[in-house]
Amino acid sequence: LSPVFFGSARTNFGIEPFLENFLKLTPPPLSRTADCGEIDTFSPDFSAFVFKIQANMNKAHRDRLAFMRICSGKFQRDTEYFHMQGNKKMRLSQPQQLMAQERKILDEAYAGDIIGVFDPGIFSIGDTICMPNEKFEYEGIPTFAPEHFAKIRQMDTMKRKQFIKGVTQ
């Protein structure tokens, strides 16, 4: 079905049925577990966690962006938020939405959205950003099983112990 959907949307025919079915196929943002319990996606208080940090995206500048997923509430530009791991309040004044090569400054974002904020070196992966009156930390980001990147073969059978130690490490 997906080639038919995307093909019809590309020719500007059947976009409304495509979007309706796309919404049915995609899951809504899920609630996340924090140290104070489960935080509901529809909670009115903003919260997010940092899942990626990317440096040197613009060759003309030494920039560093922290990507965060909004877990609950509504993000508003120039609002004061609290960085739990840094234990300080901060104002995120230039949140960005990135799509391929384009960047766009956002005024607001909602649960499930991904935004990028400038990182002067204070964010780490797994950090929690929340409202100053609601202080909690999200549990670590989910990890996935690694994929196979290479095959390992023992070249010298006399060095079995070193081989097993290297594979274990």
Side-chain angles (χ1 to χ4, degrees):
L1 283 176
S2 60
V4 174
F5 271 141
F6 288 105
S8 64
R10 186 170 181 211
T11 59
N12 204 11
F13 174 77
I15 292 177
E16 190 172 333
F18 165 74
L19 292 174
E20 288 173 3
N21 286 303
F22 189 72
L23 287 174
K24 289 178 190 173
L25 294 172
T26 57
L30 301 173
S31 56
R32 289 193 47 89
T33 307
D35 57 3
C36 64
E38 197 155 301
I39 307 297
D40 186 29
T41 306
F42 299 105
S43 170
D45 292 327
F46 167 80
S47 66
F49 73 94
V50 177
F51 70 92
K52 179 181 178 181
I53 296 174
Q54 180 75 39
N56 301 328
M57 293 179 69
N58 185 348
K59 292 181 174 115
H61 305 285
R62 288 190 167 182
D63 62 340
R64 184 175 151 127
L65 283 180
F67 290 93
M68 57 182 69
R69 182 184 186 276
I70 299 174
C71 299
S72 67
K74 177 182 175 182
F75 173 85
Q76 291 184 318
R77 184 176 163 191
D78 286 328
T79 303
E80 195 169 78
Y81 297 112
F82 192 78
H83 179 222
M84 284 299 295
Q85 286 72 9
N87 198 26
K88 66 178 186 176
K89 292 180 182 179
M90 61 177 39
R91 189 173 303 275
L92 302 174
S93 59
Q94 290 189 337
Q96 299 183 8
Q97 180 183 36
L98 285 84
M99 179 63 81
Q101 295 282 334
E102 297 178 18
R103 291 185 186 199
K104 177 183 169 187
I105 302 276
L106 295 174
D107 290 324
E108 56 187 30
Y110 298 91
D113 290 348
I114 306 288
I115 60 172
V117 295
F118 286 111
D119 179 18
I122 59 172
F123 292 116
S124 296
I125 294 175
D127 285 2
T128 301
I129 292 88
C130 56
M131 299 300 288
N133 57 348
E134 298 279 330
K135 295 180 181 175
F136 59 87
E137 290 184 31
Y138 281 115
E139 290 181 355
I141 61 174
T143 56
F144 303 98
E147 296 181 19
H148 293 272
F149 291 105
K151 291 183 180 180
I152 300 173
R153 188 173 56 192
Q154 186 175 357
M155 300 300 285
D156 187 358
T157 56
M158 298 300 291
K159 297 186 177 184
R160 184 176 184 280
K161 285 184 179 178
Q162 290 92 338
F163 177 75
I164 291 174
K165 185 178 179 183
V167 170
T168 304
Q169 289 177 352

